[in-house]
Amino acid sequence: MSDCISYQQTQYFSDLITDYIEKNPKVEAFYNRFPALSSFEVQMTEKRASFTSKNRQTLVDVLLKQYTSIAASEASINNIKSLLDVDTFTVTTGHQLNLFTGPIYFIYKIVSTIKLCHQLQLQYPDKKFVPVYWMASEDHDFDEISFFHFQQKKYKAQHQKQGKVGTHPTENLDELFAELDQELGLGEQANFLRKLFQKAYLYHDTYAEATRYLVNQLFQEYGLVILDADEKELKRLFIPQLKNELLHQSVHQHTSETIKKLQAENYTIQVNPREINLFYIRDEVRERIIYKDETYFVNETEWQFTKDELIKELENFPERFSPNVMTRPLYQETILPNLCYIGGGGELAYWFQLKSYFQAENIPFPILLLRNSALMYTKKQAKKIKNLDLQLSDFFLAHHELATKVTHQISDIEIDFSAQKKYLQTQFEELHQLASLTDASFKGAVAAQEHKQIKGLTHLEKRLLKAQKRKLKDYLQRVEELQISLFPSHLLQERFINFSEIYLLLGKNFIPRLLSEFDPLALEFNLIQIEK
């Protein structure tokens, strides 16, 4: 049992995103090609012409080196080696190294990427399409990735180390694992999750190693390629673009006009670029590079460089220069033969700021695709919804809106005072006619009295609604409890629960079920019933 609703109907997505997927002409200037199967042929031609054999060889060498540390599947290794071919392209998603994958949409992003590759392979059988998960190992906000929720309980790792999260040690997770172990219960699915966490985080030294192992275990049979771009040889390919950012502030220069255009359309700006959109990494420090008085400073440190010293540092140690959220997309598209980036609404919002920057750097701007979203619900929950005479889509309403709708629906008293207001307005029509025959002060008094009485009826209507809500308190409590079970902490389910909760229900069928349900290019929000 499954269904879909529009992203706009969920009320959880921005105007920019809903306008994009509805092909609103207001958004056309901010992207290159719309995500449809027919768009990929031209995208491939453009990417093939710009992506060199040197870049392909470097990428394959780095990936094969990274894969020596895990038991890679034949499908993944074949996909890596195929990247040497000019007719092999990638579809990429990226995400932080969230503890035990964090919210379940981490999984949805990767499934969307794999599914699109399957669809492209059918459409273009003479080409090859490789799904890539880009590990955001250079991020330094450990608090953002250090927890996950399971059965309404928060599991959080502690840390002391600073700098990029990819090298953060996985030590001190024994206690957290012991807590999770107690909650997982018994059975084949629980044992799989137990061993997955244990082998990922207790048998690997860093978060990058742990995440690579975990994601590989879940997706290796689908040929997923996992890339950690925090590599000297990959960054060497990016030196020209890094120089442009350091010397000419390319991002700020080429996105300022785009930001003004987005603001003119009343869209929210996702990220405001800095003058220099790069970090400097050294000795467990990842800090912003700041240019002032013809000197480059590393924020919160004593390091500083002249222009010549900094360029020499870049050429000798490119691995010490780290993209921020605005330069990472260009880095990705420089080192990958990529056609499409799949991300959430917030991610696409800042990608829309970057088209002019890509054009200035002469790198093809990828097709942007909103990842699949889903609400997973059980057969038991479906039965409760039916018994309440509601639709699943009703539960996307804000709590007070849902309570109001239900109260109107089940109340044995008519709460709508529209008829009374209409009758009152009819009575005042005669007074308005009379007022038109006399002076303006009387005409104003009649209008004011009408407004006062209509306002009084509206107030009484609200009072009656509140009274009925109190009377129906027990019934509305049941509705609220069901809504919270579907939208924990009043968030989209996918932004709160961990994949392990659904895996306990579906087991090995979890990922195949998602692959069968998701159609990335349909651009609809999935409602998926599971048989439990």
Side-chain angles (χ1 to χ4, degrees), residues 10-12 390 393-407 465 469 472-485 487 489-491:
T10 70
Q11 302 183 57
Y12 277 89
L390 292 168
S393 57
D394 292 328
F395 287 83
F396 284 85
L397 294 169
H399 171 64
H400 70 278
E401 293 175 339
L402 178 59
T404 296
K405 176 174 182 172
V406 171
T407 302
L465 176 62
K469 283 183 177 180
L472 300 169
K473 182 177 65 174
D474 292 342
Y475 190 95
L476 293 176
Q477 180 68 27
R478 288 165 51 200
V479 174
E480 182 180 13
E481 288 172 357
L482 180 54
Q483 187 179 39
I484 290 296
S485 72
F487 294 82
S489 293
H490 300 287
L491 298 170

Side-chain angles (χ1 to χ4, degrees), residues 2 16 35 43 53 129 219 272 278 305 330 367-368 380 491:
S2 62
L16 176 58
Q43 192 76 23
S53 58
F129 304 93
F219 292 104
N272 285 299
L278 296 172
F305 305 88
L330 189 75
I367 294 170
L368 301 177
K380 184 178 180 181
L491 298 170

Side-chain angles (χ1 to χ4, degrees), residues 84-98:
L84 290 171
D85 193 297
V86 295
D87 284 325
T88 298
F89 303 93
T90 61
V91 174
T92 302
T93 193
H95 201 72
Q96 295 168 295
L97 310 184
N98 292 65

Side-chain angles (χ1 to χ4, degrees), residues 6-25:
S6 72
Y7 282 99
Q8 189 171 28
Q9 193 176 349
T10 70
Q11 302 183 57
Y12 277 89
F13 292 81
S14 70
D15 289 342
L16 176 58
I17 296 304
T18 56
D19 284 351
Y20 175 54
I21 63 182
E22 291 170 5
K23 295 186 179 181
N24 190 314

Side-chain angles (χ1 to χ4, degrees), residues 147-192:
F147 65 92
F148 66 95
H149 293 97
F150 175 72
Q151 306 292 15
Q152 296 290 330
K153 182 177 178 180
K154 186 175 183 178
Y155 294 81
K156 182 172 176 60
Q158 303 301 317
H159 76 106
Q160 296 175 341
K161 187 177 185 291
Q162 301 300 314
K164 54 190 180 181
V165 296
T167 57
H168 194 93
T170 53
E171 59 190 16
N172 302 324
L173 287 174
D174 301 73
E175 286 187 20
L176 190 145
F177 171 68
E179 290 180 44
L180 180 63
D181 186 22
Q182 293 296 314
E183 297 294 330
L184 280 172
L186 304 175
E188 182 181 348
Q189 286 93 301
N191 287 334
F192 172 82

Side-chain angles (χ1 to χ4, degrees), residues 327-362:
T327 44
R328 189 208 69 80
L330 189 75
Y331 179 40
Q332 171 190 297
E333 297 301 311
T334 300
I335 66 173
L336 288 176
N338 198 50
L339 303 175
C340 176
Y341 183 75
I342 297 179
E347 289 177 280
L348 297 199
Y350 68 74
W351 275 86
F352 287 133
Q353 298 173 213
L354 298 174
K355 183 181 174 184
S356 295
Y357 171 48
F358 271 72
Q359 289 173 335
E361 296 288 352
N362 201 28

Side-chain angles (χ1 to χ4, degrees), residues 30-49:
F30 307 116
Y31 63 90
N32 192 13
R33 297 181 181 90
F34 192 77
L37 283 175
S38 58
S39 301
F40 282 87
E41 188 163 359
V42 181
Q43 192 76 23
M44 283 187 281
T45 300
E46 189 176 56
K47 192 67 183 183
R48 187 191 295 110

